[in-house]
Amino acid sequence: GEAMDETLKRALTYMEEEFYGKYCGQEDSTITCVGHTHIDTAWLWTLDDTRKKVVRSFSTALNLLDHYKGMRFMSSQPQLYQFLKEEYPEVYERIRDYVREGRWEAEGAMWVEADTNIPSGESLVRQVAYGKRFFRDEFGVDNKILWLPDVFGYSACLPQILKKCGVDYFMTTKISWNEYNNFPYDTFKWRGLDGSEVLSHFICSQHIGSSEKEYLTSYNGFLDAPDLMGTWRRYQQKNLNRDVLFAYGFGDGGGGPTADMVEQALRFTRGIPGCPKLKMGTPLEYFQKLDAEVSQNKRLPVWSGELYFEYHRGTYTSIAKIKKHVRKSEILLQDAEFFNVLRDQLCQQQAYPWAELDQAWRLLLLNEFHDIVPGSSIKEVYDESDRQFEKISQMGGDSLNAALTAICQNLSIKKDSLVVFNGTSMERSDLVEFSTDLEAFEILDGDRSQRTAEGMVIFFAGRVPAKGYRTFTLRACDTVPVFESLTASTERAENAFFRIAFDANGNIASLYDKKLCRELAQADQPMNRLVAMEDVPSVDDAWNINAYINEKTWTIDEVSSFTVVETGPVRSVVRIQRPFMKSIIQQDFILYADVARID
């Protein structure tokens, strides 16, 4: 009734005058907050589940933006926006409106929040190039922040890549999880290998519980008083900067901000005695303000080189097959691109396979997400990943083969010629494998040849030019040319470069380098001895390897088979098989006549 309304009005007026007017807004510290939802592109769910998470999370954010006019929201990863555009284009169009209004920030720079230690440098460049291009074409914005809150360490090559791609700022939070050493800075210049620098800021927050025990909430803040106070107390550069960045909203599996969080934010913007004043903003606004205030300050610290993460070290061994898929795909797509450009130049053809290679690169970049390529996702993610890499292999292989075929057809070469291509950036001499129906033949301008156990032919192709090719002639003979074979047995193997002696357990007892005239194996310490370790970390099996892993080991010395499986003038292969628990470990020792290495 009217009496109740009047009472409320008087209470609100009293609060405004006596509390907000006299006690609030006096603090000299600020927390800039932005609504956010960190969505792992795949992890404990598949890509199909992620599509649904994106629809729900982004729709929730849009509804909150409709209701709360002061709210700001930010989300990275163009791949997620692409999912939404394909699933619900009408929801996607609503995002465009808020981006134009300046209340939804499409930032982040990379196509996905990628691992930065396993992918190649070229892949990291593509992540930024594809990410920036998508946000520019779709929303008309130029990304300036690399937003990687949850990645497991950061390569020292990143500052150089970022600066050359027009990205000036870097944000993460993960380094605060370090196992042993506290990283000394939250606001600093990160200097890369070539001297390039990017302004960096960590948004790690800490929640002060009722027991005064602090725990990390990182990029999934709840935006309550303990969160804000913990964030400010933890910040290490208070003598340099009095404003910290805070991202609030449910994350990892999506969800984003809730109405309760936004309501709390609105109250904190008025200021609470003893607590930093809260301001709603966007990360780009924050970084530009921070840049203007601290970049010329002599006290701004500089960190040179890698940002090493002292945790999740097991991600460099988990699900080994995807590491192999990624590297082979990176090499394949770069070769396909280069030789298609070369084909267009040599053959005067305009047949560059833009669509196929673009699709292949997008699939590869997707699989370099920081919970896919590290091996920390569920099995179903890798079942789908296998199918995607088959597609990449087909698209890249088809376009590469078409380019090489066209180049060969354009060359003035004889019918029985072998054209050896070198996609690397250095002159290369190495083994080449091919098939032929000829029983007896010789390779002109080449070296000795040999049939493998699988029926292929191998020979040593010398001095193939960088990013180029060399032609060899295959000529039929009446008899098979005879060359001196390499020495190989289960006791010793030898070529012009090395002499190997095996012990009774099949390990390398002696390795003598003939060129250096020295023994490489230490006495009573066999080389190539296999050792198994018990990998049972205290938490997070797929992520972690603990320091005590070396305390419980088994030497794998038992031999079930030790034989010479191939010998000839080009290479010799000695194969050993070892039983271990329910597995058979098979290893080949390969020596070559013309290559100074042992595989």
Side-chain angles (χ1 to χ4, degrees):
E2 293 182 5
M4 181 64 176
D5 289 345
E6 185 61 30
T7 301
L8 288 174
K9 289 177 182 178
R10 290 203 307 272
L12 290 172
T13 299
Y14 181 84
M15 288 288 292
E16 187 71 32
E17 295 175 352
E18 297 300 321
F19 180 65
Y20 287 113
K22 295 181 179 180
Y23 295 100
C24 299
Q26 307 301 316
E27 303 300 324
D28 67 343
S29 54
T30 304
I31 293 180
T32 299
C33 75
V34 60
H36 178 59
T37 177
H38 176 69
I39 300 178
D40 284 319
T41 307
W43 179 32
L44 305 179
W45 46 84
T46 64
L47 294 173
D48 284 341
D49 293 324
T50 300
R51 289 175 177 268
K52 300 168 188 174
K53 291 176 180 292
V54 171
V55 173
R56 292 194 295 266
S57 300
F58 284 11
S59 296
T60 298
L62 287 167
N63 290 338
L64 290 173
L65 288 168
D66 289 342
H67 188 73
Y68 296 100
K69 301 306 178 184
M71 179 187 168
R72 300 290 185 272
F73 183 81
M74 176 269 179
S75 186
S76 64
Q77 304 192 93
Q79 178 67 80
L80 304 185
Y81 290 77
Q82 182 66 40
F83 285 161
L84 181 65
K85 186 177 181 181
E86 293 167 0
E87 298 289 334
Y88 285 90
E90 66 278 10
V91 178
Y92 186 79
E93 290 303 316
R94 291 180 62 197
I95 292 177
R96 287 187 195 272
D97 294 337
Y98 275 117
V99 171
R100 283 192 291 266
E101 193 177 324
R103 295 179 57 203
W104 183 301
E105 187 170 69
E107 257 289 354
M110 283 189 171
W111 181 252
V112 295
E113 292 178 7
D115 182 274
T116 73
N117 288 325
I118 298 172
S120 67
E122 180 65 26
S123 282
L124 295 176
V125 172
R126 299 296 177 113
Q127 286 284 357
V128 180
Y130 272 68
K132 289 195 67 172
R133 182 171 64 190
F134 181 91
F135 280 145
R136 180 198 65 201
D137 294 347
E138 294 291 318
F139 303 111
V141 297
D142 182 20
N143 280 189
K144 294 294 183 182
I145 306 171
L146 178 59
W147 183 271
L148 296 180
D150 192 30
V151 175
F152 314 149
Y154 305 92
S155 167
C157 71
L158 275 176
Q160 177 180 2
I161 292 174
L162 295 179
K163 292 302 288 187
K164 291 190 174 185
C165 290
V167 178
D168 299 322
Y169 311 120
F170 171 68
M171 189 290 301
T172 187
T173 172
K174 204 74 171 184
I175 301 298
S176 66
W177 294 25
N178 274 359
E179 191 169 14
Y180 299 112
N181 299 293
N182 181 53
F183 192 80
Y185 313 126
D186 293 316
T187 300
F188 60 99
K189 281 285 184 72
W190 182 19
R191 180 178 295 159
L193 298 175
D194 72 331
S196 297
E197 294 180 347
V198 290
L199 180 61
S200 303
H201 181 76
F202 291 173
I203 65 168
C204 328
S205 60
Q206 285 184 321
H207 186 98
I208 311 276
S210 57
S211 63
E212 292 303 317
K213 181 181 180 181
E214 298 184 347
Y215 61 90
L216 291 173
T217 58
S218 62
Y219 47 83
N220 299 328
F222 293 112
L223 213 131
D224 55 14
D227 262 3
L228 299 180
M229 288 304 300
T231 297
W232 178 246
R233 288 183 187 179
R234 187 203 167 283
Y235 184 57
Q236 299 175 96
Q237 266 71 57
K238 295 184 182 70
N239 64 331
L240 186 72
N241 169 47
R242 306 293 292 180
D243 188 355
V244 297
L245 184 61
F246 186 95
Y248 67 93
F250 287 97
D252 289 340
T258 65
D260 284 346
M261 294 177 186
V262 183
E263 289 284 356
Q264 288 186 122
L266 292 173
R267 281 150 182 76
F268 280 116
T269 58
R270 303 296 302 276
I272 299 295
C275 183
K277 186 175 181 180
L278 189 142
K279 177 180 69 175
M280 291 188 177
T282 64
L284 184 57
E285 293 170 350
Y286 175 83
F287 269 100
Q288 289 174 337
K289 176 176 176 289
L290 182 68
D291 193 0
E293 292 179 353
V294 305
S295 286
Q296 303 305 316
N297 194 319
K298 294 181 180 180
R299 292 180 296 176
L300 179 64
V302 176
W303 182 271
S304 295
E306 178 185 11
L307 292 174
Y308 176 66
F309 182 42
E310 296 177 358
Y311 208 47
H312 293 359
R313 300 173 184 87
T315 56
Y316 302 103
T317 56
S318 295
I319 314 294
K321 65 178 180 179
I322 193 167
K323 278 76 166 174
K324 182 177 181 179
H325 285 326
V326 163
R327 190 66 78 244
K328 289 175 73 70
S329 297
E330 288 172 334
I331 295 170
L332 171 63
L333 294 185
Q334 290 180 73
D335 283 347
E337 288 181 332
F338 172 76
F339 286 110
N340 270 283
V341 170
L342 185 62
R343 183 268 309 274
D344 290 354
Q345 295 295 315
L346 291 177
C347 308
Q348 299 301 308
Q349 297 178 356
Q350 298 298 319
Y352 189 88
W354 290 103
E356 294 85 350
L357 293 179
D358 182 71
Q359 184 182 0
W361 267 111
R362 287 179 183 234
L363 282 177
L364 175 56
L365 298 180
L366 167 61
N367 279 280
E368 291 175 343
F369 177 74
H370 69 260
D371 270 316
I372 301 181
V373 68
S376 48
S377 292
I378 57 174
K379 175 184 180 295
E380 289 79 3
V381 170
Y382 298 104
D383 292 341
E384 183 172 6
S385 176
D386 289 344
R387 294 190 292 270
Q388 290 175 333
F389 279 110
E390 285 182 12
K391 193 171 184 180
I392 293 171
S393 179
Q394 179 184 352
M395 290 187 293
D398 288 349
S399 62
L400 175 60
N401 290 334
L404 298 181
T405 300
I407 292 172
C408 290
Q409 291 172 347
N410 189 66
L411 299 175
S412 298
I413 57 175
K414 299 177 182 178
K415 179 181 178 182
D416 295 325
S417 293
L418 297 170
V419 183
V420 178
F421 290 90
N422 174 16
T424 70
S425 57
M426 64 194 77
E427 183 182 86
R428 189 173 176 192
S429 300
D430 214 322
L431 291 181
V432 171
E433 184 176 86
F434 67 98
S435 62
T436 179
D437 295 330
L438 295 174
E439 290 296 328
F441 57 87
E442 60 180 348
I443 302 171
L444 302 183
D445 302 321
D447 209 320
R448 62 192 80 183
S449 61
Q450 171 185 332
R451 283 204 181 268
T452 68
E454 294 78 21
M456 300 294 287
V457 176
I458 55 175
F459 80 100
F460 183 75
R463 306 194 67 179
V464 183
K467 295 293 184 184
Y469 57 86
R470 183 180 172 191
T471 302
F472 300 85
T473 302
L474 185 67
R475 185 170 68 182
C477 301
D478 294 332
T479 59
V480 178
V482 178
F483 300 100
E484 180 184 352
S485 296
L486 297 168
T487 302
S489 71
T490 56
E491 296 179 351
R492 61 185 296 160
E494 187 172 355
N495 63 6
F497 309 100
F498 305 103
R499 183 169 61 244
I500 299 177
F502 299 104
D503 64 15
N505 295 318
N507 299 314
I508 296 176
S510 170
L511 175 56
Y512 186 78
D513 188 318
K514 294 182 177 181
K515 300 300 181 183
L516 297 179
C517 299
R518 59 174 293 206
E519 173 63 50
L520 303 180
Q522 298 184 45
D524 301 323
Q525 294 188 33
M527 303 174 72
N528 193 55
R529 173 174 264 181
L530 302 183
V531 178
M533 303 173 180
E534 185 178 77
D535 181 14
V536 186
S538 55
V539 292
D540 300 333
D541 311 36
W543 285 267
N544 291 335
I545 291 177
N546 291 124
Y548 53 76
I549 191 171
N550 292 313
E551 297 177 13
K552 198 171 184 181
T553 63
W554 297 263
T555 301
I556 307 173
D557 276 336
E558 185 178 350
V559 177
S560 59
S561 174
F562 196 12
T563 58
V564 177
V565 296
E566 187 179 309
T567 186
V570 178
R571 74 179 183 190
S572 293
V573 182
V574 181
R575 177 169 296 163
I576 186 169
Q577 292 184 337
R578 303 180 186 276
F580 179 69
M581 300 179 72
K582 296 182 179 180
S583 298
I584 296 292
I585 301 172
Q586 178 173 296
Q587 189 174 36
D588 289 348
F589 300 87
I590 309 173
L591 268 74
Y592 307 95
D594 300 292
V595 183
R597 73 167 188 263
I598 303 170
D599 288 345

